[in-house]
Amino acid sequence: MKKIKYIAISALLAFCSCSDFLDEELKSSLAPENTYTNTHGFEVGVTGLYEYARSEFNTWGGEFNGFSHGQATPVEVFQIGTDIMFTNTDPLLVSFGNLSYTPLSHYVNSWWKFGYGLASNANLILEYSEHADVDWDNPTDKAGFQAEARFFRAYAYRYLVYLYGDIPWVDKVERDFRVDFTRTPKAEVLNHMIEDLKFAAGNLPEDPDAVLPGRLTKWAALHLLSEVYLMAGMNAEAEDAARQVIDSHKFELMKDRFGTHTKEPGDVFSDMFKENNQNRNTAGNKETIWVMQLEYNVVGGGGESEDWALRAYNPSYFSIDGFTIADSLGGRGVAQLIPFPWWIDKNSGFYEAEDIRNSDYNIKRNWYYNDPRSEKYGQKAEITEELWKAKKLYPAITKFFYGVQDKGGDEGYGGCTKDRIKFRLSETYLLLAEALMNQGRTDEAAEAINEVRLRAKASKITGAQVTKDFLADERIRELIGEEMRRFTLCRLGLLKERVLRYNTDAAPRWNDKHWLWPIPQDVINSNTGSAFPQNPGWD
C-alpha cells in the first residue's frame, strides 16, 4: 500500500525472543490505548502490519522499518540448502547452504523474532478492537480490521510452523514477563491458522479494483488458506479454496504484453517483473493477487536496505576484465545465490525450447563485454565452469533486474526496490494441482498445470506425468525466486530426496534433523519455567 503512514510503526509494539519475544516496548505517546480508539487509529495500526510484514525482506534496517534482520539476504536463506541454489560467498549464508547452521545461527533467531513480532502486533490490534468504547466510522470497520490482523497472524505462523514445527500458539497480548511457554503441536497451530484465514476470507473486500495497491482482499486470504490446508493434509479443502480464487474470475493469467515497458523487447512473462508492472490498479496486471509495496522513492515504499534480491541472484560479472556495472546487466550483483546447472544450463533440457520462461528476456545466458575501454568490447563472454563456480558469470534470472533511471543514475545501487509479488494466479493453479494430485486425481491436476504451461507456450502434459517431482520442477520454471523453495520442498516431502540428488554442497551433511530448523538456543535457555524441548537431533 503506497503512502504507508510512518506513524503506524510507532503505534505498534516491538518484541524480541522467548521470555522477551512477547514483552512490549511502548513507543512514546502513541501507545495502543491512545491510538486504538477510533477507525483512524486502527487504520494506522493495520498499516503498520503491512510495513512489518514486508520487513521480511529488510536487511540492515532503516528509519521506518517495523523489523530488521540485521544481515543481508534474509529471504534468500530459504533458497539455499535446497535443490536450486548454492552459495560460496556470505559466511552467514554458507552455513545454511552446506547445512552447518546451529541453534545459535543468526537467521535461526531472526526469523523466530520476525514471526512472533508480527503475530504479537496482530494480537494487539485484535485485543483493542474488542473494546466497547471504540468510535467506529462504519459498522463493518471492526470486522475488516480484525480480518487483516488475523490474515497477518496466520502469515506469521506460516513461517514459524514451516521452520520450527511445534511452536507456542499465542493469540493474546502477553503483558506479564513469562518464562513458561510450551510448544503447541503443529496440527493445532495449523487449525488456528485455518480459522484465522477463514475469518479473513469472510470479511476482507471482494473487489480487487476497489482497494489500494497492496491492500489485502478475500482472494489473498483464500490463496494462503489453500496452502495452509495443504500443509495440514486437508486436500479437498485446499482444492476448494484454490477453486474459489480461480472461479471468482477476478484474476487472469496475463497472456498479452502489458504495462509500462511494452515498447521495449520482452514477452508477457518478463513484463510481470518489470518495474511498475506489479499492480493491477496502475499497470493492469490482473494476475497478481497480493503485492508488497516496495517501490523506490515514494512515501511508504522501499529503500536500499529493503530487498537485496538483485545482489543475491545476479553474478558479479563486473569483476571480469572487460565488464563494467550496468543496469542492463542487472546492476551490482554479488552472487550470494548461484544456480545449480541441472535446471538452468542451456543444455540441461529442463525447459522446452518454446517455453517463454526460458527466453532471453527471462534468463540471461548471453553476456557481452560492455566496457568501451576494453579490447573485448562487444564480444561475447563465454560462461565457463570456472567462472560459474567463482560466481562471476552464469545464467541470471532477470526477475530481479531493475531500472535506475529514477535512482539518480546510480547503477551500483544495491536495493531491488520495486513492488514484490507475493501471490499470483499461476501459483493458485499450482496449489490446485497439488491438492488434486494428493487426492489421486492426476488428470485434473494436469489440467490445472496446463493452464500455466500453455501461457508459457510449453506443451501440455498428461495425468500420467503428474508427480511430486514434476510439480516441484514446474514451480521452479514458474516461480523461481518468488516461492520460498524450502517451504515447497518440505510441504511436498521432497526436501531430503532433492537435496541428496542435486545439492553437492548440502548432501554430505544431510541429516533428518534438517527437515526443521532448530529452536533458537536463547529461547530454550530463557524459558526456565517450563520444559521447552529442542527439535530432534539439535540437542
Side-chain angles (χ1 to χ4, degrees):
M1 164 173 39
K2 296 293 189 290
K3 301 187 183 301
I4 293 260
K5 301 177 182 69
Y6 291 142
I7 192 175
I9 295 306
S10 297
L12 297 175
L13 302 181
F15 300 86
C16 296
S17 67
C18 202
S19 65
D20 62 342
F21 73 80
L22 294 168
D23 296 341
E24 45 183 281
E25 295 177 17
L26 298 182
K27 306 295 185 181
S28 69
S29 61
L30 288 169
E33 59 267 23
N34 298 327
T35 301
Y36 297 133
T37 61
N38 54 35
T39 291
H40 175 70
F42 279 91
E43 181 70 32
V44 169
V46 166
T47 302
L49 290 181
Y50 287 87
E51 169 69 17
Y52 199 108
R54 76 181 191 188
S55 292
E56 67 185 55
F57 296 105
N58 188 270
T59 56
W60 298 105
E63 186 176 359
F64 299 110
N65 293 108
F67 178 84
S68 174
H69 287 275
Q71 292 289 337
T73 57
V75 294
E76 283 71 34
V77 76
F78 303 133
Q79 312 294 0
I80 55 178
T82 67
D83 56 347
I84 54 171
M85 298 283 181
F86 68 97
T87 187
N88 59 17
T89 175
D90 189 318
L92 196 64
L93 285 177
V94 166
S95 66
F96 288 88
N98 64 20
L99 305 184
S100 63
Y101 54 90
T102 74
L104 298 174
S105 294
H106 180 85
Y107 286 134
V108 168
N109 284 270
S110 72
W111 278 104
W112 180 278
K113 293 178 181 179
F114 170 84
Y116 277 108
L118 180 55
S120 300
N121 287 321
N123 286 338
L124 186 75
I125 288 173
L126 291 168
E127 176 187 298
Y128 276 86
S129 69
E130 292 293 345
H131 287 194
D133 59 349
V134 176
D135 182 14
W136 300 112
D137 289 350
N138 301 293
T140 57
D141 286 352
K142 175 181 174 180
F145 289 126
Q146 287 181 339
E148 288 177 288
R150 292 184 73 170
F151 173 92
F152 280 116
R153 183 166 67 184
Y155 185 78
Y157 276 101
R158 170 181 178 255
Y159 283 91
L160 294 167
V161 168
Y162 268 128
L163 293 174
Y164 308 102
D166 300 343
I167 38 89
W169 169 259
V170 183
D171 60 357
K172 63 180 181 180
V173 177
E174 297 286 350
R175 289 184 165 78
D176 297 326
F177 189 82
R178 285 186 57 185
V179 292
D180 61 347
F181 289 98
T182 58
R183 299 183 66 174
T184 307
K186 173 182 174 180
E188 184 178 333
V189 176
L190 289 173
N191 285 335
H192 289 306
M193 294 164 63
I194 288 166
E195 289 306 310
D196 274 351
L197 290 169
K198 287 167 68 176
F199 181 90
N203 292 279
L204 286 168
E206 291 193 20
D207 185 356
D209 292 313
V211 299
L212 292 171
R215 199 83 185 233
L216 291 167
T217 64
K218 171 180 183 173
W219 316 109
L222 285 169
H223 177 100
L224 182 56
L225 180 59
S226 180
E227 181 185 334
V228 175
Y229 275 137
L230 288 170
M231 294 169 70
M234 302 171 68
N235 295 299
E237 293 83 354
E239 175 193 348
D240 178 68
R243 285 196 189 278
Q244 286 187 61
V245 178
I246 294 165
D247 293 344
S248 73
H249 302 297
K250 304 286 187 183
F251 308 94
E252 61 188 62
L253 296 180
M254 301 301 290
K255 297 178 180 178
D256 298 308
R257 297 204 61 192
F258 68 95
T260 57
H261 300 267
T262 54
K263 293 183 180 180
E264 302 170 8
D267 54 40
V268 65
F269 194 75
S270 66
D271 283 342
M272 196 85 59
F273 308 99
K274 297 286 182 64
E275 262 188 322
N276 306 312
N277 273 9
Q278 286 67 56
N279 295 297
R280 67 186 289 136
N281 318 59
T282 53
N285 187 343
K286 293 186 178 181
E287 184 166 334
T288 52
I289 299 169
W290 183 37
V291 182
M292 283 187 172
Q293 303 299 292
L294 293 166
E295 183 181 337
Y296 177 79
N297 203 28
V298 299
V299 177
E304 187 164 5
S305 295
E306 204 74 50
D307 178 3
W308 277 14
L310 167 84
R311 292 182 175 186
Y313 283 91
N314 292 332
S316 54
Y317 61 89
F318 51 86
S319 63
I320 302 172
D321 182 49
F323 279 101
T324 186
I325 293 175
D327 168 43
S328 59
L329 301 185
R332 192 171 73 87
V334 294
Q336 280 123 328
L337 301 183
I338 308 168
F340 286 113
W342 73 267
W343 66 270
I344 202 171
D345 184 75
K346 64 181 179 181
N347 298 318
S348 69
F350 184 72
Y351 293 88
E352 293 180 353
E354 301 303 317
D355 192 328
I356 64 172
R357 298 168 298 188
N358 188 43
S359 75
D360 291 341
Y361 305 120
N362 296 302
I363 300 178
K364 183 173 179 56
R365 295 189 177 91
N366 297 310
W367 297 82
Y368 294 88
Y369 295 105
N370 69 329
D371 189 342
R373 300 167 297 181
S374 171
E375 295 180 354
K376 304 175 184 177
Y377 181 70
Q379 299 177 29
K380 186 174 181 179
E382 294 300 325
I383 297 175
T384 66
E385 182 177 356
E386 180 182 10
L387 288 175
W388 196 322
K389 288 184 176 179
K391 73 177 187 177
K392 294 182 178 182
L393 205 64
Y394 50 78
I397 305 158
T398 64
K399 287 180 180 180
F400 304 112
F401 282 27
Y402 66 101
V404 296
Q405 61 271 25
D406 296 323
K407 301 179 180 69
D410 180 8
E411 295 188 337
Y413 182 81
C416 186
T417 39
K418 62 184 178 185
D419 295 333
R420 184 79 176 240
I421 298 172
K422 290 299 295 186
F423 303 158
R424 58 187 177 94
L425 189 64
S426 63
E427 185 181 21
T428 316
Y429 275 109
L430 296 178
L431 292 173
L432 173 61
E434 187 176 337
L436 292 166
M437 175 187 68
N438 291 344
Q439 296 176 77
R441 294 155 59 191
T442 53
D443 286 345
E444 293 173 82
E447 291 176 8
I449 294 170
N450 284 335
E451 291 291 333
V452 177
R453 288 179 61 81
L454 289 177
R455 188 271 297 277
K457 298 184 174 16
S459 65
K460 286 185 177 182
I461 63 166
T462 66
Q465 294 172 269
V466 175
T467 64
K468 288 185 177 182
D469 261 325
F470 185 90
L471 188 57
D473 286 350
E474 192 66 22
R475 288 183 68 96
I476 294 174
R477 287 185 278 264
E478 182 70 21
L479 299 168
I480 181 69
E482 298 173 73
E483 68 169 356
M484 306 300 185
R485 188 61 176 175
R486 178 185 173 86
F487 296 178
T488 294
L489 295 182
C490 285
R491 189 179 67 249
L492 290 171
L494 293 177
L495 180 63
K496 175 180 180 178
E497 177 183 334
R498 290 178 72 103
V499 164
L500 295 179
R501 188 190 312 168
Y502 294 122
N503 192 321
T504 53
D505 286 357
R509 290 180 180 267
W510 175 266
N511 183 292
D512 282 351
K513 70 180 183 180
H514 291 114
W515 283 103
L516 293 172
W517 279 7
I519 302 296
Q521 193 61 45
D522 287 348
V523 170
I524 294 174
N525 291 347
S526 58
N527 201 71
T528 57
S530 181
F532 203 98
Q534 180 58 274
N535 278 330
W538 290 104
D539 292 314

